[in-house]
Amino acid sequence: MPVVFVPAILRALIFVDRVDVDCATVGEIIDELEGRFPGVAAILVVDDDMAPGIAVSINDQVSQMGLMEPVPVDAEVHFLPAISGG
Amino acid sequence: MTTVERSPYRVIGTRPIRHDGLDKVTGRARYANDVNIPGHLTARLLRSPHTHARILSIDTSRAEALAGVHAVVTAADMPELSALLREQTEGSLVNLGLLSRNLLAREKAMYRGHAVAAVAADNASIADAALALIDIKYEVLPPILDALEAMKPGAPIVIDELRTNVNSTFRGGGLRAPDEEASHSNVATTFTMEIGDIANGFELADIILERDYHTSAAHQGYIEPQSATAFWSSDGLLTIWTSTQGPFAIRDQTALMLKLPAGQVKVIPAEIGGGFGAKLNVTIEPIVARLSQKCGKPVKMTISRTEVFESMGPASPAYVHLKMGVTNEGRITAADARLIFEAGAVPGSPVAGAANCMYTPYEIPNARVEGIDVVVNKPKTLSYRAPGAPSGAFAVEQMIDEFCEQLSMDPIEFRLKNAAQPGSRRVNGVANANMDFEKTLDVARATEHWQSPLNGEYRGRGVAAGFWGNATGPASSIAGLLPGGRFAYIEGSADIGGTRTTSAMQFAEAMGILAEDVRPSVADTDSIGFTSNTGGSSVTFKQGWAAFEAAKDMTSKLTERAARMWKVEPDRVAYEFGAVTSLDDPAKKLTIAEIAARQNGTGGPIIAHATVVPGGVAGGFAVHIVDVEVDPETGKVDVLRYTAVQDAGTAIHPGYVEGQMQGAVAQGVGWALNEEYVYDKDGRMENASFLDYRMPTSLDLPLIDAVIVESPNPGHPFGVRGVGEAAFVPPLAAVANAVSHALGVRMLSLPMNPRRLLEVLTEMAST
């Protein structure tokens, strides 16, 4: 099942480095995390979309579909700073 | 010189004349300043003479009374947007409340040159006269001009209600809410990324180095200053013509700042005279729009070069404290960095970009990076090609060079030994997948440049590597069949580097036709679907995907039309290389031109379209080799030879790829050897012109050998990787390594200008 790598911004709520989640989309993952670690959604989601400044990486690919992004069963999920180019 | 393994393409990999080339070299291309709407007014900005001051009052009555003045705007005329951190909901990198305060000062003037009022008048002379009639009362405050000083207790506070966002990923920063504790700090954002066990990693090292590095502020060097024209039609539609890398960002940000529906704003991107990251967001557009709204006339503003230097921010100056450890065999065991980036007066330096890229080429099992974004009383810094990454590489690549000296190890061999492998983790935790750093190093090692000796006193050779992740995003395109059988190809990406031609080439390749039979153009925001910014080295990738999909749609429609004309089922015809053939009678053929000639009588115009949001991005690596000679009497550095090697994926138009690499080298050499923003103690910029801010010209550089390593990206139909930014990551470090070898003294600070090198040479002579 997918594994979420816990970023520093969530360490105050999630006290482990990684969390296994049996979910098919990013949105489902966040709902699952919220259920287990209340307060996570408030950090990761704003107005039914990813919060400003947060990019979601599925394996090494930055998601383009936000909460709707499908997550393969063996994927790593990382919540990273959104990076701007020049 | 181009290194290719194999070319299966007919168009891709060739070098057609760029579609916009003739207009650009004959002066026919229309840039934003060439837009002249009949009856337009000229706008000017009044700028703060103070580096840090509270605005007590603004009286525009005398200016408004001047004959020929049609509108005056201050922050009071603009909707007030929340700058509270917790209320930011739009965009991923920008705090709109703070950005709007940067466009026009509200509570404070936060740097010398900060715009405080705007005037629209019949002509520039009247506008300038009106500026002098605007009465502003300031309470002058002490400024703070350096990030390290700004972090000290007791330093003047730039933004009174700034909230220090700890472990944040939101680059835009923001203010505290009333119920949140005040930070009383100039630190906008901090974060830490870490993998492995740092302490243990250093325990395993035989050699540990720890250094402080500094990179200066550097201007992006776009030749065209910001320019915009705004006009409201009588039905309330706002049209903006502007020089921009992101017409849709301008549309959306202007709408938000003026509290308009986005559908009420149309942005027409003009040809752009350079951007390099500085033209991704609004700069003057909302102000020009508000002036036009107030007076009901078209208004145009073009700022001067001095204003560009004094108000449109440079690349962030950066302090990098780096500690690394290696074994005697040359394996990196640990790396720990603290990055302090100057954001200017508004949060948002690219410190995260540096953090994400600096270690990425290497397998470092124990790594940490702390990033800190600091505000000071200078213009808000803006992106500049691979934002943040060159400063991070300046530190890492130089420290690696020192390890190689101590270990007597070849610097390319060291990098090969430590090259990141698929499956190894970056400092942000992501596991590497598609890594071609080793291949790029191998090609660099095999170059004639690297293989040839460099002899002579005060001469040195430097090598450095770099990585950039590249970006993607939504992209839209429309293709229409023209009479004669050519295609109009319309795209949403602003063209700042030749991407209309690379898109046309990808469309042509997929259609099996010539690039010359495609007529590409860039559309306004009403005429094409949303397309994300031209930045992040994303366009050839994402717009190429859109071209590929549009071509598929077009071939499908051509076969349907031919089938209709022949009265057969579509599966009885096939398209290939510009013609449709009957599968039942191969002699029966219709060319695109023949279909085009009859399209209106056989069902109407044939239009194809595509909107994509493609994944499959791959990052890029670059390895640069440079030879320099230092004049011991003047401290001047001559670049004798430069080779840039880059893993560029499939080179759609090799000439463009080479141009991106060579341009990046030119900019990097300038930053390394001379460019900095010089401020006096009062915060006045002392070199605010291209005469005093000296950038390299063709006379300052040798021919730059661009070596393209083509490792096709499996995530793209034509193997595209972004190329424009990875090329900009190594030059600072490569030149610093070369100068360090030439002098025998490590250069930890930029720029390495003649004055600084003379100081080094003088000190060397005295010891």
Side-chain angles (χ1 to χ4, degrees):
Chain A
M1 65 180 69
V3 56
V4 175
F5 282 65
V6 180
I9 54 168
L10 296 180
R11 290 286 168 81
L13 297 172
I14 305 175
F15 299 108
V16 293
D17 291 341
R18 306 178 190 194
V19 179
D20 292 330
V21 286
D22 189 8
C23 301
T25 68
V26 170
E28 287 179 18
I29 287 175
I30 294 175
D31 287 342
E32 169 78 11
L33 291 175
E34 175 66 19
R36 290 156 68 173
F37 310 100
V40 166
I43 294 171
L44 297 180
V45 177
V46 173
D47 290 343
D48 295 323
D49 204 348
M50 292 303 305
I54 298 180
V56 181
S57 176
I58 310 297
N59 297 322
D60 71 326
Q61 290 294 309
V62 175
S63 157
Q64 299 301 311
M65 301 212 15
L67 300 178
M68 294 169 52
E69 184 77 34
V71 179
V73 294
D74 58 349
E76 292 185 1
V77 179
H78 299 263
F79 296 101
L80 304 172
I83 306 294
S84 166
Chain B
M1 180 177 87
T2 300
T3 302
V4 295
E5 295 182 335
R6 181 170 169 261
S7 177
Y9 304 115
R10 290 153 55 106
V11 175
I12 288 171
T14 64
R15 298 170 183 249
I17 294 173
R18 58 191 291 169
H19 298 74
D20 58 322
L22 194 58
D23 279 353
K24 288 200 170 145
V25 300
T26 59
R28 284 208 304 258
R30 292 180 63 77
Y31 294 84
N33 192 50
D34 295 320
V35 174
N36 286 307
I37 308 297
H40 78 263
L41 305 175
T42 299
R44 287 281 193 268
L45 289 165
L46 179 66
R47 298 182 178 279
S48 169
H50 305 294
T51 302
H52 189 195
R54 212 174 302 282
I55 298 172
L56 300 177
S57 65
I58 304 179
D59 182 351
T60 61
S61 56
R62 292 197 300 144
E64 290 179 74
L66 184 66
V69 171
H70 295 264
V72 180
V73 161
T74 68
D77 297 295
M78 305 286 282
E80 183 165 3
L81 302 181
S82 172
L84 299 188
L85 182 64
R86 70 181 186 198
E87 292 183 359
Q88 299 311 306
T89 60
E90 299 291 343
S92 64
L93 295 165
V94 176
N95 178 317
L96 279 174
L98 291 178
L99 183 61
S100 72
R101 284 163 171 80
N102 188 48
L103 265 55
L104 267 184
R106 188 172 284 272
E107 298 88 1
K108 271 189 173 183
M110 294 188 288
Y111 51 92
R112 188 180 180 280
H114 193 172
V116 292
V119 168
D122 287 339
N123 57 54
S125 294
I126 297 174
D128 287 335
L131 294 183
L133 297 176
I134 297 175
D135 300 309
I136 304 182
K137 285 194 171 55
Y138 293 99
E139 176 193 348
V140 179
L141 302 169
I144 188 74
L145 298 171
D146 172 78
L148 296 182
E149 294 300 314
M151 292 173 68
K152 290 181 179 173
I157 298 298
V158 177
I159 302 176
D160 295 327
E161 301 300 318
L162 184 69
R163 180 181 149 190
T164 299
N165 213 9
V166 177
N167 271 332
S168 167
T169 58
F170 180 50
R171 179 175 167 180
L175 308 185
R176 70 178 182 99
D179 59 336
E180 292 174 327
E181 201 174 324
S183 300
H184 298 302
S185 171
N186 292 309
V187 175
T189 303
T190 73
F191 63 85
T192 302
M193 294 190 249
E194 185 171 348
I195 55 167
D197 182 335
I198 295 295
N200 184 57
F202 282 113
E203 288 286 318
L204 297 173
D206 296 309
I207 305 172
I208 295 174
L209 292 176
E210 193 166 0
R211 300 275 185 264
D212 287 298
Y213 303 87
H214 178 251
T215 55
S216 51
H219 181 34
Q220 298 83 357
Y222 43 92
I223 296 176
E224 178 201 24
Q226 282 78 359
S227 177
T229 298
F231 182 42
W232 295 75
S233 62
S234 53
D235 60 355
L237 174 69
L238 168 62
T239 301
I240 298 174
W241 295 259
T242 185
S243 172
T244 179
Q245 294 174 238
F248 288 89
I250 302 302
R251 179 195 72 179
D252 294 345
Q253 289 174 0
T254 299
L256 286 165
M257 287 196 179
L258 298 182
K259 293 200 170 169
L260 301 170
Q264 204 172 321
V265 182
K266 178 171 81 172
V267 175
I268 303 174
E271 297 289 357
I272 178 171
F276 306 111
K279 294 180 180 177
L280 291 168
N281 296 305
V282 289
T283 52
I284 57 175
E285 294 85 356
I287 304 171
V288 180
R290 189 69 183 101
L291 284 167
S292 177
Q293 187 180 38
K294 251 191 145 180
C295 65
K297 294 177 182 293
V299 174
K300 176 175 164 181
M301 179 187 295
T302 301
I303 67 173
S304 68
R305 177 57 54 184
T306 301
E307 289 180 283
V308 172
F309 274 111
E310 293 186 344
S311 68
M312 298 293 151
S316 295
Y319 294 95
V320 179
H321 179 87
L322 178 64
K323 179 180 176 184
M324 291 178 72
V326 302
T327 65
N328 284 328
E329 292 73 37
R331 292 303 300 257
I332 303 172
T333 62
D336 193 5
R338 188 175 200 230
L339 313 175
I340 298 173
F341 273 56
E342 240 176 60
V346 173
S349 77
V351 59
N356 273 290
C357 293
M358 60 194 293
Y359 302 145
T360 299
Y362 308 107
E363 192 145 331
I364 307 177
N366 310 289
R368 179 170 60 199
V369 61
E370 179 189 9
I372 303 172
D373 187 46
V374 183
V375 292
V376 297
N377 290 116
K378 292 177 184 172
K380 171 181 165 47
T381 56
L382 298 175
S383 294
Y384 183 17
R385 285 180 97 160
S391 297
F394 180 72
V396 171
E397 297 298 312
Q398 280 210 80
M399 188 163 281
I400 286 175
D401 201 58
E402 282 201 73
F403 284 129
C404 291
E405 287 181 301
Q406 291 199 25
L407 294 170
S408 297
M409 199 167 169
D410 178 277
I412 290 186
E413 294 304 318
F414 180 100
R415 288 173 170 86
L416 281 166
K417 192 164 193 150
N418 290 280
Q421 301 297 321
S424 61
R425 292 205 179 270
R426 305 177 188 180
V427 70
N428 61 13
V430 174
N432 289 310
N434 190 359
M435 305 294 281
D436 289 303
F437 185 37
E438 285 178 307
K439 187 171 179 182
T440 311
L441 287 166
D442 284 336
V443 172
R445 180 173 53 182
T447 61
E448 192 270 332
H449 185 175
W450 186 251
Q451 296 295 325
S452 60
L454 176 68
N455 299 311
E457 206 181 5
Y458 295 109
R459 287 187 169 190
R461 174 169 294 169
V463 65
F467 168 82
W468 182 251
N470 296 327
T472 182
S476 303
S477 63
I478 299 170
L481 178 59
L482 296 172
R486 303 180 76 202
F487 291 93
Y489 178 80
I490 304 158
E491 62 179 34
S493 293
D495 183 355
I496 66 171
T499 47
R500 86 194 72 186
T501 292
T502 59
S503 298
M505 291 174 70
Q506 293 180 77
F507 180 82
E509 182 71 50
M511 291 294 301
I513 59 176
L514 299 176
E516 289 79 2
D517 287 334
V518 182
R519 201 158 74 200
S521 60
V522 179
D524 63 60
T525 56
D526 274 6
S527 304
I528 194 87
F530 180 89
T531 300
S532 54
N533 281 353
T534 295
S537 307
S538 62
V539 177
T540 303
F541 177 86
K542 68 191 181 197
Q543 203 68 62
W545 256 114
F548 176 75
E549 293 294 333
K552 279 167 58 179
D553 191 30
M554 179 57 74
T555 58
S556 171
K557 289 182 167 141
L558 288 171
T559 55
E560 284 172 9
R561 186 61 61 91
R564 184 187 302 176
M565 292 163 72
W566 286 333
K567 299 185 178 57
V568 299
E569 291 299 314
D571 64 0
R572 301 318 305 156
V573 302
Y575 173 90
E576 191 177 47
F577 297 132
V580 181
T581 306
S582 166
L583 294 176
D584 298 316
D585 180 2
K588 202 167 169 184
K589 201 184 282 274
L590 277 169
T591 65
I592 296 176
E594 288 169 330
I595 297 173
R598 295 176 57 192
Q599 62 182 314
N600 286 343
T602 59
I606 300 176
I607 306 289
H609 72 278
T611 295
V612 298
V613 190
V617 174
F621 293 95
V623 179
H624 288 196
I625 306 163
V626 57
D627 296 342
V628 303
E629 181 177 69
V630 181
D631 184 327
E633 293 189 12
T634 64
K636 184 177 180 297
V637 177
D638 280 330
V639 179
L640 302 175
R641 188 173 182 179
Y642 204 113
T643 301
V645 182
Q646 185 165 336
D647 167 19
T650 301
I652 301 298
H653 190 307
Y656 275 151
V657 177
E658 291 157 358
Q660 290 291 321
M661 294 165 67
Q662 291 160 341
V665 169
Q667 289 179 306
V669 167
W671 193 353
L673 293 181
N674 202 57
E675 294 177 39
E676 62 180 332
Y677 278 45
V678 180
Y679 286 94
D680 68 15
K681 63 177 176 53
D682 298 320
R684 180 194 307 266
M685 187 178 176
E686 294 183 319
N687 59 335
S689 75
F690 275 143
L691 181 65
D692 296 313
Y693 182 92
R694 176 72 161 78
M695 300 184 74
T697 70
S698 58
L699 300 176
D700 299 306
L701 296 163
L703 290 177
I704 299 160
D705 197 7
V707 179
I708 302 171
V709 179
E710 286 195 295
S711 290
N713 170 16
H716 187 273
F718 299 123
V720 169
R721 292 174 198 266
V723 302
E725 290 173 288
F728 191 54
V729 181
L732 306 189
V735 175
N737 284 337
V739 172
S740 298
H741 289 297
L743 296 181
V745 174
R746 184 52 54 176
M747 306 304 297
L748 302 179
S749 181
L750 294 183
M752 296 173 287
N753 58 26
R755 177 176 57 80
R756 293 212 173 97
L757 294 193
L758 269 184
E759 289 171 0
V760 170
L761 287 160
T762 302
E763 190 174 333
M764 285 167 62
S766 68
T767 53

